[in-house]
């Protein structure tokens, strides 16, 4: 049985920290499993047993780094909250570090589990925003509508057409999903 905070959690934390530190010191492309193991104070076999190879380890670290630290801000209206979230999401994901984390998360993800986890992070954040709007009595689109009309186009552009990305693009996408008056055009559905 794996105890929360037990050896398994300590090994994961040490290895993740080692990866992040070494990537900033020597560069991601220079990382090796023995180098990470030495820094983390574990044997290379511990890393191979748990992660299989370096790419899977990098993917695991990337998914963890892509998880939001805090709930989205509450600025008082759906339009304000969703716009601020979309601008921050675009800024973080389109940065060189964000693009590297996206690449690593997907490269070590043969079964799609990491991509699903990253998608779940965004959906959870959007759900918080939409629930707040609903509690204020504001009409709101569903989570999947926001994923399809805001997140998906941003991710496509981040990965394949990064030129011209900025706050104006994020604002246009949010305005499109919310409609002319900044209100949701779709019935409330938050699942």
């Amino acid at each position: 049985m794996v105890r929360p905070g037990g050896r398994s959690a300590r090994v994961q934390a040490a290895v993740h920290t080692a990866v992040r530190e070494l990537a900033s010191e020597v560069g991601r492309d220079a990382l090796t499993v023995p180098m990470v193991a030495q820094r983390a104070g574990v044997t290379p076999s511990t890393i191979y047993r748990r992660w299989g190879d370096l790419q899977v380890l990098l993917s695991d670290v990337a998914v963890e780094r892509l998880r939001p630290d805090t709930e989205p801000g509450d600025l008082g209206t759906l339009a304000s909250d969703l716009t601020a979230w979309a601008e921050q999401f675009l800024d973080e994901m389109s940065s060189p570090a964000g693009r590297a984390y996206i690449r690593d998360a997907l490269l070590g993800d043969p079964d799609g589990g990491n991509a699903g986890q990253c998608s779940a992070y965004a959906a959870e954040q959007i759900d918080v925003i939409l629930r707040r709007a609903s509690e204020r009595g504001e009409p709101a689109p569903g989570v999947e509508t926001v994923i399809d009309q805001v997140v998906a186009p941003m991710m496509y552009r981040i990965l394949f057409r990064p030129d011209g990305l900025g706050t104006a693009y994020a604002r246009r996408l949010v305005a499109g999903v919310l409609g002319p008056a900044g209100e949701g055009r779709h019935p409330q559905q938050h699942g």
Side-chain angles (χ1 to χ4, degrees):
M1 180 173 117
V2 176
R3 294 182 325 271
R7 182 181 186 283
S8 180
R10 285 192 304 275
V11 167
Q12 179 175 333
V15 170
H16 278 216
T17 298
V19 167
R20 289 190 305 271
E21 289 174 355
L22 287 166
S24 70
E25 291 169 19
V26 301
R28 180 201 161 284
D29 293 337
L31 289 179
T32 65
V33 168
M35 183 187 299
V36 171
Q38 181 179 7
R39 174 68 63 97
V42 300
T43 64
S45 64
T46 298
I47 293 175
Y48 289 120
R49 201 171 32 254
R50 182 163 182 160
W51 285 280
D53 65 28
L54 182 61
Q55 190 56 61
V56 174
L57 171 58
L58 292 174
S59 184
D60 189 43
V61 170
V63 170
E64 184 65 26
R65 297 296 288 180
L66 291 170
R67 181 174 50 167
D69 313 8
T70 60
E71 280 197 347
D74 187 349
L75 303 173
T77 67
L78 173 58
S80 297
D81 291 353
L82 192 55
T83 300
W85 179 85
E87 289 174 355
Q88 180 179 353
F89 180 87
L90 182 61
D91 184 56
E92 290 174 3
M93 295 298 138
S94 65
S95 72
R99 289 171 51 87
Y101 288 133
I102 292 167
R103 181 189 66 222
D104 283 342
L106 297 177
L107 281 175
D109 187 29
D111 65 359
N114 288 346
Q117 186 58 57
C118 292
S119 178
Y121 294 153
E124 289 165 9
Q125 295 268 297
I126 292 164
D127 188 57
V128 167
I129 292 167
L130 299 180
R131 285 186 190 281
R132 285 182 190 152
S134 181
E135 289 166 5
R136 291 189 293 256
E138 293 180 84
V143 171
E144 291 303 315
T145 300
V146 176
I147 294 285
D148 290 346
Q149 296 183 24
V150 178
V151 178
M154 284 196 292
M155 288 304 294
Y156 180 86
R157 293 287 305 265
I158 288 166
L159 293 171
F160 302 112
R161 297 183 59 111
D163 293 339
L165 289 178
T167 57
Y169 180 67
R171 289 177 185 153
R172 257 191 336 271
L173 293 173
V174 170
V177 78
L178 295 183
E183 298 176 354
R185 297 179 300 197
H186 307 281
Q188 293 179 12
Q189 48 183 311
H190 302 288

